Amino acid sequence: MSREIMQERIKQAEIETEKKKAAVQAGKMRQHYHFMPRIGWLNDPNGLIYYKGKYHFFYQHNPYSGFWDCMHWGHAVSEDLLHWEHLPLALAPSEEYDDYRKGGCFSGSAIEHDGKLFLMYTAAANHGAGNLQTQCIAYSEDGIHFEKYGGNPVILPPEGVPGHFFRDPKIWKHDGRYYMVCGAGRDDRAQALLYRSDDMLHWEYVNVLAESRGEWGYMWECPDFYPLEDQYVLTCSPMGAGDRKAVYFVGDFDYGTGRFDWTVSGEIDWGMDFYAPQSFLTPDGRRLIAAWANEWEYMPFWKDWGPTYREGWCGFFNLLREVRMLPDHTLQFMPAAELKALRTDAYSLDRLDIGGNAEGLRAGDGVSFEMQMKVDLEKTTAERIELDLRCGEGRKTRCTFDFAKGTMSVDRSGSDGWSAGKSESVLFLKGKKELDIHVFSDQSSVEIFADRYQNNHANNVYAGDSQNGIRIRAVGGNAVIRDYQSYGLKDCVR
């Protein structure tokens, strides 16, 4: 009977989607090339995997409104990571362990096992003693229609971990065995817990993979763990760690003890809208990550999610990024190569000399575009460079590269009459001859990459089509820009 309940709820969600999608997809704030739902709410990416010739994206989804509520799993597939076919929902709340209005089928991951596509997800319910999060399994023969395992839940919160601090399993396979890392919080310290299994159904606890001593918050959401070159990488979104929204740790891992010892840590993105990144492998061996372009600190209790809820939707993924390691074991997060296929209307300049008067720049239609440039630091005398994006109607989003103070910042307070906030990071240029800058703008977001893709800021900006100006100027001296290139970007998801 429970299987029929889930299928009926998926059917109801599809009816709701068909009824609303034409009106929602005509919304003025809809993105042109960022992945987003047909209707309703989206948050964390889930179950990212290449399976039987297609990429599968699952995601946290409420199909009934543009706000967070009882969680389902949305589902879409693609052959090129650009153009997506939306499929029926993969999971809907239907069982005692996940059928709860303020719970449901929370985040998780996917893996192939015995030719089937397996999902592991966090089930969230409340039986009168507070929120209880457990780990559950669903599987599919065709990668479209899923059935929940009759022995769910397969993992309960371990001793000392509160029931509401145990979620977001990420699974992988190593030497014939399955492993899973799960986010947790215990005694006000964030943890990543390690489990293993021989059959994907019966799991044993191994160890605390890694934990915070307080400096990295009290709960790690959406942990991910994978090998990269000769090291291992742990990523997560820490709760209670201030402005840190998505961080990485690089170090050594011992499968014998289940302990990870990191020696390098850093930020994946310094912006206000990058959270819960999850990675997957492409057939050619690249490690790509997708993330939710928002963040829980800006829930409606503190700040509204943005105006898109008026159009019947909210949420999209940030640009796909490839994870690469530098010789010092710090990481780069580069826009995926697939995005180059969207380029059109190419424009370039070998050199641009800028001073105190703002210079206009050309890039596509000024709304949906890509832009690259290099600042010649040896010939630049300016104290800072101000790059204004999405200008018009007296509004702008300003990115400042401050050479005197050693900072990079993105200020969207004057961007759209809605958004607020300024993201800031250290800009360390000692001994460097140039500063590389790479910008992607879409209808409702600006993502700026700098300094070898290690200084990245993703911020949502809800600007109209008339805000299509781009300006640059130098303050306190002059600046030399080299190798300026720009492109318009074709629609692929709108």
Side-chain angles (χ1 to χ4, degrees):
M1 179 63 70
S2 59
R3 181 179 182 182
E4 286 75 15
I5 292 173
M6 185 170 80
Q7 294 307 314
E8 179 59 30
R9 291 183 178 176
I10 289 174
K11 181 180 178 181
Q12 291 172 1
E14 287 302 305
I15 292 173
E16 184 80 1
T17 299
E18 289 300 316
K19 181 172 63 176
K20 294 180 177 178
K21 70 177 185 181
V24 172
Q25 291 173 11
K28 294 181 179 180
M29 292 291 103
R30 297 282 288 181
Q31 297 279 62
H32 296 274
Y33 57 90
H34 284 73
F35 179 86
M36 58 189 166
R38 290 172 291 177
I39 69 168
W41 167 274
L42 168 149
N43 60 288
D44 303 353
N46 298 156
L48 311 184
I49 190 171
Y50 185 79
Y51 174 73
K52 292 187 176 180
K54 292 185 178 181
Y55 295 98
H56 289 250
F57 274 12
F58 302 88
Y59 53 92
Q60 291 287 277
H61 183 43
N62 173 21
Y64 295 101
S65 80
F67 289 99
W68 183 89
D69 208 330
C70 187
M71 283 291 96
H72 300 60
W73 273 38
H75 187 195
V77 294
S78 174
E79 295 181 354
D80 63 1
L81 292 172
L82 299 171
H83 302 85
W84 292 91
E85 175 191 358
H86 286 273
L87 300 176
L89 273 63
L91 298 176
S94 62
E95 312 298 322
E96 183 182 10
Y97 51 79
D98 65 14
D99 193 1
Y100 180 58
R101 177 67 185 274
K102 295 300 180 182
C105 304
F106 279 10
S107 294
S109 53
I111 197 167
E112 184 174 351
H113 170 60
D114 287 343
K116 300 177 183 178
L117 185 56
F118 273 67
L119 309 179
M120 178 177 270
Y121 71 98
T122 296
N126 190 327
H127 307 299
N131 191 287
L132 176 63
Q133 297 169 357
T134 59
Q135 313 316 317
C136 296
I137 294 290
Y139 49 85
S140 171
E141 296 273 1
D142 61 6
I144 300 174
H145 304 93
F146 289 84
E147 180 176 347
K148 294 176 183 176
Y149 172 51
N152 282 337
V154 296
I155 307 176
L156 300 175
E159 183 178 354
V161 173
H164 62 291
F165 278 167
F166 183 57
R167 55 184 176 269
D168 309 335
K170 178 65 191 294
I171 46 182
W172 73 96
K173 191 174 185 179
H174 175 77
D175 284 349
R177 304 185 83 178
Y178 297 95
Y179 292 84
M180 182 271 283
V181 61
C182 189
R186 180 165 23 198
D187 299 327
D188 291 325
R189 291 189 176 189
Q191 295 183 327
L193 306 181
L194 182 67
Y195 291 79
R196 67 184 168 215
S197 171
D198 292 322
D199 62 2
M200 277 294 299
L201 300 176
H202 302 88
W203 292 83
E204 63 175 333
Y205 173 73
V206 179
N207 209 341
V208 176
L209 178 86
E211 64 183 331
S212 167
R213 296 184 301 274
E215 76 280 30
W216 292 105
Y218 60 83
M219 170 71 193
W220 283 345
E221 291 203 298
C222 302
D224 197 353
F225 192 65
Y226 49 86
L228 191 65
E229 297 188 7
D230 63 345
Q231 297 286 288
Y232 271 81
V233 175
L234 171 67
T235 66
C236 64
S237 285
M239 301 176 70
D243 290 339
R244 295 183 172 95
K245 299 171 180 64
V247 300
Y248 72 84
F249 308 92
V250 179
D252 294 318
F253 176 58
D254 183 353
Y255 273 99
T257 64
R259 291 292 294 191
F260 171 64
D261 179 30
W262 78 78
T263 54
V264 173
S265 63
E267 309 279 340
I268 301 175
D269 194 288
W270 297 80
M272 288 177 283
D273 295 299
F274 188 98
Y275 200 81
Q278 184 173 114
S279 77
F280 62 100
L281 281 174
T282 63
D284 60 4
R286 290 173 295 149
R287 177 71 62 171
L288 300 185
I289 60 171
W292 172 38
N294 218 307
E295 196 269 327
W296 291 116
E297 292 299 321
Y298 294 92
M299 285 180 72
F301 302 110
W302 295 281
K303 175 191 178 296
D304 219 322
W305 290 106
T308 66
Y309 76 90
R310 297 172 176 170
E311 299 179 352
W313 70 284
C314 185
F316 49 91
F317 287 174
N318 296 102
L319 290 179
L320 284 173
R321 304 180 186 186
E322 181 182 352
V323 185
R324 293 186 181 181
M325 183 174 290
L326 292 172
D328 64 357
H329 291 166
T330 58
L331 301 183
Q332 297 174 298
F333 301 92
M334 308 176 66
E338 282 81 357
L339 291 162
K340 294 178 181 178
L342 300 179
R343 289 174 173 174
T344 185
D345 191 21
Y347 176 76
S348 64
L349 289 171
D350 292 334
R351 173 174 173 144
L352 177 64
D353 294 274
I354 59 174
N357 295 322
E359 298 276 350
L361 295 177
R362 170 183 162 184
D365 63 2
V367 174
S368 176
F369 67 84
E370 177 186 358
M371 171 200 304
Q372 289 179 280
M373 68 184 83
K374 296 176 182 177
V375 181
D376 187 332
L377 297 175
E378 293 182 313
K379 291 182 169 57
T380 292
T381 61
E383 295 179 359
R384 66 180 186 272
I385 291 175
E386 295 175 347
L387 175 62
D388 291 343
L389 306 167
R390 302 303 301 277
C391 304
E393 301 179 344
R395 294 172 175 168
K396 63 180 178 295
T397 296
R398 171 163 290 178
C399 180
T400 302
F401 303 93
D402 196 318
F403 308 127
K405 295 181 179 179
T407 61
M408 172 182 169
S409 64
V410 181
D411 188 350
R412 65 179 184 183
S413 299
S415 63
D416 55 20
W418 183 284
S419 302
K422 179 180 179 181
S423 59
E424 187 170 276
S425 59
V426 174
L427 185 64
F428 193 77
L429 299 177
K430 181 180 178 181
K432 297 176 182 177
K433 296 181 179 180
E434 64 183 25
L435 169 65
D436 54 289
I437 301 169
H438 198 170
V439 178
F440 284 82
S441 172
D442 205 341
Q443 187 71 54
S444 296
S445 64
V446 173
E447 294 178 64
I448 304 172
F449 303 82
D451 196 11
R452 301 187 300 171
Y453 300 96
Q454 295 189 290
N455 215 328
N456 311 318
H457 290 243
N459 289 297
N460 295 347
V461 175
Y462 303 102
D465 289 343
S466 61
Q467 290 180 235
N468 61 355
I470 307 168
R471 298 191 297 262
I472 190 170
R473 72 172 186 141
V475 178
N478 298 312
V480 175
I481 304 296
R482 297 191 185 277
D483 301 329
Y484 178 83
Q485 302 173 58
S486 69
Y487 308 89
L489 295 174
K490 293 177 285 189
D491 286 16
C492 61
V493 297
R494 192 177 175 90

